[in-house]
Amino acid sequence: MFFTRTHECALTISTEEFKQRLIGKHVKIHNLDFEVMELDSKLNIVPHAEQVNEIKTLPITEIDFKQAGGKTNLIIKSKMRQLDAGGPQLIMIFCLFLFVASIILFVTSDDLKITLTFLGTAVLLISTFWYRMQTGYFDYVRKIREYVVTRIA
């Protein structure tokens, strides 16, 4: 999906030592608490958003370990919480609808005002939405990944 990010890196320490460094720790990003816990031999970084009053789109990060030869590869996968996925998906579908409608109108209609209005609205909405996602959701993803990678060293 659009909102899932995967990052890989190699461990210089053992898997068990890495897990001990992270399990039970709390990450504080933008005054929001994330907890690291182990689930099915993977590490999960889950947000504590019970006290948050404003609407936020937050990631759940899963850290998986893969053995490759004599070293361990770390796979960090961040995806949107199911609770938060509805709004961004609706915005993407609406923008897609406006974009397709503008293309159809461009081909079939002689009135460019409506066509360009639909296209302009779609571009404005998607650019505003993407900016907000970069400063919100993807910022959380980047900072969580940075936290995990700095714990390796």
Side-chain angles (χ1 to χ4, degrees):
M1 176 118 198
F2 295 121
F3 310 114
T4 301
R5 295 291 183 255
T6 304
H7 181 73
E8 291 187 34
C9 60
L11 284 178
T12 57
I13 60 173
S14 71
T15 304
E16 292 304 317
E17 184 179 341
F18 180 74
K19 284 182 180 182
Q20 291 302 319
R21 287 184 183 185
L22 282 180
I23 292 177
K25 302 287 189 218
H26 289 266
V27 183
K28 194 123 175 130
I29 301 172
H30 297 300
N31 294 324
L32 190 61
D33 188 41
F34 289 81
E35 184 177 358
V36 182
M37 59 184 74
E38 186 172 17
L39 206 69
D40 299 330
S41 75
K42 297 179 183 179
L43 294 180
N44 287 339
I45 301 176
V46 183
H48 288 287
E50 294 86 18
Q51 295 85 14
V52 176
N53 293 331
E54 60 270 359
I55 298 172
K56 289 190 182 266
T57 305
L58 300 170
I60 293 178
T61 304
E62 184 178 273
I63 303 170
D64 195 11
F65 304 95
K66 299 286 183 194
Q67 297 294 336
K71 63 179 184 174
T72 303
N73 287 332
L74 190 68
I75 301 170
I76 305 168
K77 182 179 179 184
S78 295
K79 59 185 176 182
M80 194 175 291
R81 297 185 307 169
Q82 287 287 347
L83 179 69
D84 299 335
Q89 288 175 349
L90 282 175
I91 291 172
M92 294 294 289
I93 290 169
F94 183 67
C95 289
L96 181 66
F97 170 75
L98 284 175
F99 184 70
V100 169
S102 68
I103 291 174
I104 291 172
L105 285 173
F106 183 74
V107 172
T108 61
S109 175
D110 292 333
D111 189 14
L112 280 178
K113 286 183 182 177
I114 295 173
T115 303
L116 292 177
T117 301
F118 279 8
L119 182 62
T121 303
V123 168
L124 180 68
L125 281 175
I126 199 72
S127 60
T128 303
F129 169 72
W130 206 253
Y131 171 76
R132 294 283 309 221
M133 289 296 284
Q134 287 297 326
T135 58
Y137 172 76
F138 290 120
D139 191 40
Y140 284 113
V141 170
R142 284 188 296 270
K143 290 193 176 171
I144 289 171
R145 185 181 67 217
E146 179 183 317
Y147 175 79
V148 169
V149 171
T150 57
R151 285 293 179 159
I152 293 173

